[in-house]
């Protein structure tokens, strides 16, 4: 959920010669994507939010969380230090000096969390695994206590008839690997594949649905270019190198998982936003296509087509350290495309004066802004349900109707308990209702969407914003760790039970 990450990227992509990378390889044998006729594009008409919608039989109703944001127990049971431990312990990096040392204490309270999900009638839970709980220093044998924790969680979820949807990397890299260069070091791709194999061996007999990366575009940008997330690097070269190593790791991780469990369903959760041209001018339309390539395809095209996006007319191959044969290795025929979607992007061509004064916009003439027409969340992003419809329809059209999971969508608001302890978060209900209505429309028009995961089950540690942003369907009192289901959680429980939206 990031809008600001583009600035620097814009400086190096866009102008100049055509990217000359070869297309379409299959790096390891795997599953094939579900395919069927592509539905007619309906992007042209304005979406009308309906109040009645039924979802397909077997639809997954879920919530999503991430290890560092909820687990706490940062140094228990042999866990190694992660880059987020190091970053949050560094003064000045996180709002109010907050850390994830305790967070929602889910490492100890996961039974309570499962009880919340049961109360919400959910049948899917997207959570992530802390790599340094499994491999404290990023390589070698599995730490059995770390594996046991996730194994118990998986067993209890299955017992509660909740599908575990397991994210292998939601940003908490072992610090030891970061010390050796982190995602800028090609060896990290091989380390990732080893880790994936260990986890698949430990949990793969019970977990069938996996997510390799959470928002690769997010952590590579914020961690290596903007420096506002761990590991806090601010380097254009590091950003380019990390991009390519993560794409290699996506291919290697896919193969590693399939080698252990050929029948596993494997995807990535991509951060996506439809990119609308600010006007009908040809320049703005071109800008919007480039914005789309950067925002939505930077880690998807290397997996599905073995190439970097075509709409980028210049690719700094040597700076990215792309070697011959690499694009075969990035290829991973993902079984589903995970979409994390919060808002849309408005793209426009940079004006002459901006291009002269900002080197970035001279080199890559695209400006990206958030929309301004819809209401804003407490975090400042625009609420725009049509964004979900537009994105799902476009991915469905451009990728031959792949299986899609909505792996995240949600909103932060500063609603607190009233005198009776109830949390009346009507704006969150409106958000999920309207985004789900948009999603239902895309499904009615032919998209193959398997599930929706509200971000988040619980209020939690929101990265650099610390505990200042509450996204949960359940409220957490961070002093007592008491959880209380909000009105939105009750509303979501009804939707999940009925498998339909009603006004
Ligand atoms: C997404 C992240 C998730 C959470 C939400 C609000 O970008 O994947 O961890 O921070 O934003």
């Amino acid at each position: 959920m990031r809008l600001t990450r583009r600035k620097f990227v814009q400086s190096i992509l866009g102008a100049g010669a055509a990217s000359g990378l070869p297309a379409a390889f299959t790096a390891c044998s795997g599953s094939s994507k579900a395919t069927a006729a592509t539905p007619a594009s309906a992007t042209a008409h304005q979406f009308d939010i309906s109040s009645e919608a039924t979802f397909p039989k077997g639809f997954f109703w879920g919530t999503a969380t991430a290890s560092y944001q909820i687990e706490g127990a940062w140094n228990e049971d042999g866990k190694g230090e992660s880059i987020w431990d190091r970053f949050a312990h560094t003064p000045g990096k996180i709002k109010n000096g907050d850390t994830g040392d305790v967070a929602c204490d889910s490492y100890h309270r996961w039974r309570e969390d499962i009880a919340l999900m049961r109360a919400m009638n959910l049948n899917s839970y997207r959570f992530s695994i802390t790599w340094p709980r499994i491999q404290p220093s990023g390589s070698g044998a599995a730490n059995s206590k770390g594996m046991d924790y996730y194994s118990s969680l998986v067993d209890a979820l299955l017992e509660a008839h909740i599908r575990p949807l397991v994210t292998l990397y939601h940003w908490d890299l072992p610090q030891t690997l970061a010390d050796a260069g982190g995602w800028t070091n090609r060896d990290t791709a091989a380390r990732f594949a080893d880790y994936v194999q260990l986890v698949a061996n430990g949990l793969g007999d019970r977990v069938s649905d996996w997510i390799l990366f959470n928002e690769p575009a997010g952590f590579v940008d914020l961690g290596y270019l903007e420096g506002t997330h761990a590991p806090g690097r601010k380097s254009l070269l590091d950003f380019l190198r990390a991009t390519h190593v993560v794409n290699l790791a996506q291919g290697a991780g896919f193969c590693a998982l399939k080698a252990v469990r050929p029948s596993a369903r494997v995807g990535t959760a991509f951060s996506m936003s439809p990119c609308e041209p600010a006007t009908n001018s040809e320049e703005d339309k071109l800008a919007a296509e480039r914005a789309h390539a950067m925002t939505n395809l930077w880690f998807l095209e290397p997996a599905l087509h073995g190439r970097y996006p075509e709409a980028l007319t210049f690719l700094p191959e040597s700076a990215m350290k792309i070697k011959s044969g690499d694009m075969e290795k990035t290829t991973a025929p993902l079984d589903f495309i995970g979409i994390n979607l919060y808002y849309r992007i408005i793209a426009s061509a940079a004006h002459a004066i901006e291009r002269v004064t900002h080197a970035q916009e001279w080199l890559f003439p695209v400006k990206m802004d958030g929309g301004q027409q819809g209401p804003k969340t407490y975090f400042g992003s625009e609420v725009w349900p049509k964004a979900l419809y537009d994105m799902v329809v476009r991915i469905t059209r451009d990728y031959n109707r792949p299986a899609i999971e909505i792996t995240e969508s949600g909103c932060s608001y500063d609603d607190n308990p009233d005198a009776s302890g109830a949390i009346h978060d009507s704006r969150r209900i409106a958000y999920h209702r309207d985004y789900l209505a948009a999603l239902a429309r895309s499904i009615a028009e032919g998209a193959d969407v398997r599930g929706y995961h509200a971000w988040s089950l619980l209020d939690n540690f929101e990265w650099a914003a610390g505990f200042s942003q509450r996204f949960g369907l359940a409220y957490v009192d961070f002093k007592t760790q008491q959880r209380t289901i909000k009105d939105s959680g009750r509303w979501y429980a009804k939707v999940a039970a009925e498998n339909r939206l009603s006004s």
Side-chain angles (χ1 to χ4, degrees):
M1 195 212 154
R2 321 280 154 215
L3 185 62
T4 55
R5 62 176 154 245
R6 300 292 154 228
K7 280 293 169 222
F8 241 84
V9 182
Q10 295 168 2
S11 70
I12 39 87
L13 299 162
S19 115
L21 289 174
F25 306 94
T26 303
C28 65
S29 62
S31 60
S32 58
K33 288 181 292 157
T35 53
T38 305
S41 163
T43 48
H45 69 71
Q46 181 64 39
F47 181 72
D48 173 29
I49 294 166
S50 81
S51 56
E52 287 283 340
T54 304
F55 287 82
K57 196 163 178 284
F59 195 75
F60 285 112
W61 293 101
T63 53
T65 61
S67 46
Y68 188 73
Q69 295 181 274
I70 67 161
E71 282 179 1
W74 77 280
N75 58 359
E76 275 183 49
D77 288 343
K79 175 183 164 294
E81 186 187 21
S82 81
I83 55 172
W84 270 94
D85 296 319
R86 176 72 61 92
F87 193 71
H89 291 158
T90 307
K93 299 296 186 192
I94 311 292
K95 188 165 182 173
N96 301 323
D98 292 340
T99 74
D101 290 1
V102 178
C104 306
D105 196 27
S106 287
Y107 190 74
H108 301 112
R109 294 171 191 264
W110 54 271
R111 290 179 189 82
E112 285 175 56
D113 297 342
I114 292 179
L116 291 173
M117 290 179 241
R118 292 185 79 143
M120 292 184 204
N121 302 316
L122 303 181
N123 60 0
S124 182
Y125 180 42
R126 178 179 169 225
F127 65 93
S128 77
I129 295 191
T130 305
W131 184 346
R133 276 197 204 289
I134 304 296
Q135 291 179 304
S137 55
S139 60
N143 166 33
S144 58
K145 286 194 172 165
M147 194 70 89
D148 288 350
Y149 167 66
Y150 295 109
S151 196
S152 307
L153 178 62
V154 164
D155 286 343
L157 286 167
L158 292 172
E159 212 180 298
H161 304 291
I162 298 170
R163 169 189 69 158
L165 175 56
V166 176
T167 308
L168 288 149
Y169 187 82
H170 201 129
W171 305 357
D172 36 11
L173 186 73
Q175 181 62 40
T176 317
L177 295 186
D179 294 342
W183 290 112
T184 64
N185 180 349
R186 275 178 85 95
D187 185 52
T188 303
R191 300 280 68 75
F192 180 68
D194 287 352
Y195 153 70
V196 168
Q197 195 175 19
L198 278 182
V199 178
N201 276 320
L203 306 179
D205 55 334
R206 288 152 291 153
V207 174
S208 48
D209 294 11
W210 301 85
I211 288 169
L212 294 163
F213 284 107
N214 179 68
E215 298 195 350
F219 73 82
V220 168
D221 174 50
L222 297 173
Y224 290 87
L225 185 59
E226 294 185 25
T228 52
H229 277 196
R233 308 252 283 262
K234 289 187 195 175
S235 153
L236 188 54
L237 271 186
D238 286 349
F239 166 81
L240 292 170
R241 287 174 190 163
T243 290
H244 191 55
V245 174
V246 170
N247 274 314
L248 289 167
Q250 188 167 237
F254 181 88
C255 293
L257 228 160
K258 292 286 185 176
V260 177
R261 297 281 158 204
S263 62
R265 288 181 291 273
V266 186
T268 278
F270 299 94
S271 44
M272 290 195 173
S273 289
C275 301
E276 301 177 14
T279 72
N280 267 335
S281 73
E282 289 310 311
E283 292 80 5
D284 285 353
K285 285 185 193 161
L286 177 63
E289 277 314 292
R290 286 181 174 167
H292 171 66
M294 273 310 307
T295 305
N296 302 318
L297 310 182
W298 196 219
F299 293 86
L300 182 63
E301 280 284 294
L304 296 189
H305 291 146
R307 65 184 178 219
Y308 281 94
E310 272 170 0
L312 302 176
T313 51
F314 166 74
L315 190 71
E317 286 180 53
S318 54
M320 293 174 82
K321 296 211 168 162
I322 299 173
K323 292 189 188 165
S324 153
D326 273 3
M327 300 316 290
E328 287 174 52
K329 295 182 182 152
T330 66
T331 305
L334 303 175
D335 299 293
F336 64 90
I337 296 177
I339 297 181
N340 289 4
L341 185 139
Y342 292 82
Y343 50 72
R344 64 178 170 154
I345 285 172
I346 309 293
S348 53
H351 295 300
I353 185 72
E354 287 161 337
R355 293 178 63 178
V356 171
T357 51
H358 299 289
Q360 303 100 308
E361 287 168 14
W362 178 70
L363 282 163
F364 182 51
V366 176
K367 277 185 67 190
M368 294 191 229
D369 297 298
Q372 299 299 331
Q373 285 161 271
K376 297 280 170 66
T377 67
Y378 191 55
F379 221 178
S381 55
E382 184 196 32
V383 177
W384 197 253
K386 183 173 179 291
L388 186 54
Y389 168 84
D390 285 344
M391 199 72 245
V392 168
V393 167
R394 175 145 196 191
I395 292 296
T396 296
R397 185 193 73 196
D398 291 356
Y399 290 93
N400 197 19
R401 196 174 182 259
I404 291 173
E405 294 255 5
I406 305 306
T407 35
E408 282 182 29
S409 188
C411 49
S412 72
Y413 290 112
D414 57 345
D415 300 309
N416 285 296
D418 67 10
S420 72
I423 299 102
H424 302 302
D425 56 338
S426 54
R427 290 170 295 183
R428 181 168 293 101
I429 294 175
Y431 176 100
H432 286 294
R433 186 195 59 225
D434 294 350
Y435 276 61
L436 280 165
L439 186 64
R441 176 68 70 87
S442 71
I443 294 170
E445 291 179 11
D448 181 9
V449 183
R450 310 281 172 92
Y452 180 86
H453 297 80
W455 184 271
S456 180
L457 173 65
L458 301 162
D459 294 337
N460 59 44
F461 177 86
E462 177 47 36
W463 308 113
F467 294 104
S468 67
Q469 301 294 327
R470 293 181 175 274
F471 278 88
L473 298 178
Y475 184 89
V476 177
D477 178 332
F478 292 107
K479 289 203 183 76
T480 62
Q481 291 296 347
Q482 194 191 327
R483 282 103 158 108
T484 309
I485 297 182
K486 301 179 189 178
D487 285 359
S488 58
R490 295 182 199 291
W491 170 85
Y492 196 54
K494 183 166 179 281
V495 174
E498 296 177 351
N499 205 32
R500 66 193 267 273
L501 282 178
S502 57
S503 43

